[in-house]
Amino acid sequence: MEQNDSFNKHYLCVVFQMYKMRISYNFFLLIVGLFVVQSCDMFESHPYDGHIKGEKGINAINIKRIEELCKDKTTLRFAFISDTQRWYDETEDFVKVLNERNDIDFVIHGGDISDFGLTKEFVWMHDILSELAVPYVVLLGNHDCLANGEEIFNKIFGDVNFSFLAGNTKFVCLNTNALEFDYSHSIPDFEFMESQMEDDRPEYEKTVVAMHVRPYADQFNNNVAKIFQHYVKSYTGIQFCIYGHEHKISADNLFDDGIMYYQVSNIEKRKYMLFTLKPNDEYDYEVVEF
C-alpha cells in the first residue's frame, strides 16, 4: 500500500511538471510569434524577391493622365530620357530642371531603369521619377531583363509592349531586347505591332515609335530588321523613332527611307531630348543639357 502511494505521488509530480512545461512552451511560442510579427520590418528582403509594397501598374495610370491632359491637342511637347541605371543624382537633377518648365506634356523613359534587375533599383528610380510634375512612362531595357527584372518591371510598370494616344499622335512603345530572351520569344512582337495598325480612331493622325534598342544594334534581332522597318513605315503618319541603349546622342536615317531614328544618351551625360510635334506633320527636336 505504501509503495502504491509513493508511485501515485511520483506519477502526479511528473504529470504536474509536464503540465507546467506545456504552459511554458505555449507561452514561449506566443512570445516568439509576437516578436516576429512586430519586428518583421527588421528583416531584409532578398534583392530579387520581386515583392512590391508600393504603387503598381504605373504606366497604365500615367497613360490615362497623358491621354486626358493631351486630349484634342495638335501640338505636343515631350521629353525623352533613357539609361538612368546607377545615376540617381543625375536623374534627380533632371526631375528638378524639368519641373521648372511649364511647357512639357509628358516624359518617356527609354529603358534601363535598373542595372542588375534588382527590386530596389526599380523602386528607387520610380521614387525619383514620381516627383515629376508631369506623367511619365517607362520602356523595358536590356538591363531591366536581368535576373527576374522583367517580372518586377511587369509589376511596377506593366506590359513590355504598350501604346497610348496623346492628342492626335499614337506612341507605340516596344520591347526590342531580343538577345536577353535568347531569341526564344518573338521580339519585336509583330502581332502587337500589327494590332496597332488596326486603330481607326478619327483623332489618330500620327505615330511615333519608341524602343530601347534600335535595329542593327547588338541586342536587336537583326534577322527581322527590315521586316520591322516595313511595319514601322506602315503606321499612320509615321513621324520618327526614338531609342536609347548606346549612351550617346545620334540622329540617323537608318534605312535611307526618310524615317529618322533619334538616340538619347544615358542620363549620366546630363542631357535629354525635347520633341515638339506640330500640326501639318512638322516637328522640332533639341538636345537639352542640364
Side-chain angles (χ1 to χ4, degrees):
M1 187 72 176
E2 291 181 1
Q3 186 175 5
N4 288 339
D5 288 343
S6 176
F7 173 81
N8 289 337
K9 288 180 182 179
H10 178 71
Y11 174 76
L12 290 174
C13 183
V14 169
V15 169
F16 180 69
Q17 292 295 329
M18 291 176 66
Y19 178 74
K20 286 201 302 181
M21 287 176 64
R22 185 171 69 85
I23 294 176
S24 300
Y25 180 68
N26 289 340
F27 183 72
F28 172 76
L29 289 179
L30 177 63
I31 295 299
V32 170
L34 290 173
F35 175 78
V36 170
V37 169
Q38 293 180 0
S39 61
C40 60
D41 291 336
M42 295 171 59
F43 295 96
E44 196 69 29
S45 298
H46 192 279
Y48 293 106
D49 68 353
H51 179 63
I52 310 300
K53 295 181 180 178
E55 196 174 16
K56 300 177 184 177
I58 291 162
N59 281 350
I61 294 169
N62 284 339
I63 283 172
K64 185 177 180 181
R65 291 177 59 199
I66 292 170
E67 293 184 338
E68 290 174 351
L69 291 169
C70 297
K71 185 176 175 57
D72 299 326
K73 279 193 172 186
T74 56
T75 298
L76 295 173
R77 181 171 288 122
F78 71 93
F80 180 51
I81 62 172
S82 190
D83 299 83
T84 57
Q85 72 269 41
R86 300 193 303 274
W87 297 295
Y88 299 99
D89 292 342
E90 290 84 352
T91 307
E92 286 182 346
D93 290 343
F94 162 75
V95 170
K96 290 175 184 177
V97 299
L98 204 79
N99 284 347
E100 292 173 358
R101 306 182 62 132
N102 60 3
D103 59 344
I104 308 294
D105 292 306
F106 55 90
V107 174
I108 297 178
H109 189 302
D112 276 359
I113 200 167
S114 74
D115 200 13
F116 302 105
L118 298 173
T119 304
K120 282 189 174 180
E121 291 178 317
F122 288 98
V123 172
W124 287 338
M125 195 56 69
H126 165 56
D127 287 345
I128 295 171
L129 293 172
S130 65
E131 295 299 318
L132 282 164
V134 296
Y136 78 98
V137 295
V138 180
L139 280 72
L140 182 75
N142 60 301
H143 280 260
D144 301 326
C145 300
L146 298 179
N148 63 332
E150 183 194 4
E151 175 189 343
I152 299 167
F153 181 95
N154 290 152
K155 290 180 180 179
I156 297 180
F157 295 105
D159 293 336
V160 297
N161 297 297
F162 61 94
S163 67
F164 60 94
L165 190 66
N168 64 350
T169 305
K170 175 184 274 193
F171 290 79
V172 180
C173 303
L174 303 170
N175 170 26
T176 55
N177 308 287
L179 185 62
E180 295 303 327
F181 294 86
D182 298 323
Y183 302 101
S184 60
H185 294 63
S186 177
I187 299 172
D189 187 336
F190 290 116
E191 287 189 8
F192 175 82
M193 293 184 71
E194 190 170 340
S195 72
Q196 298 305 302
M197 299 175 189
E198 300 170 359
D199 191 335
D200 58 357
R201 286 175 288 183
E203 60 270 34
Y204 171 29
E205 299 177 357
K206 304 177 184 180
T207 308
V208 172
V209 177
M211 67 204 81
H212 182 66
V213 181
R214 64 168 174 84
Y216 298 127
D218 59 338
Q219 288 275 336
F220 200 89
N221 181 0
N222 291 308
N223 295 314
V224 298
K226 290 185 178 180
I227 300 173
F228 175 82
Q229 188 66 2
H230 173 75
Y231 276 79
V232 169
K233 289 171 64 176
S234 300
Y235 281 124
T236 299
I238 182 67
Q239 299 294 292
F240 51 84
C241 299
I242 53 177
Y243 68 99
H245 181 58
E246 298 170 51
H247 295 199
K248 62 183 180 181
I249 297 288
S250 66
D252 297 297
N253 184 359
L254 200 59
F255 290 86
D256 293 322
D257 58 3
I259 300 175
M260 295 297 295
Y261 280 72
Y262 295 102
Q263 177 183 192
V264 70
S265 63
N266 57 328
I267 204 71
E268 181 193 25
K269 295 180 175 63
R270 294 183 173 274
K271 295 178 182 179
Y272 68 91
M273 279 184 163
L274 187 64
F275 291 89
T276 304
L277 300 176
K278 303 177 180 181
N280 303 320
D281 286 343
E282 296 181 353
Y283 69 87
D284 293 332
Y285 86 95
E286 61 180 305
V287 177
V288 182
E289 298 187 27
F290 62 93

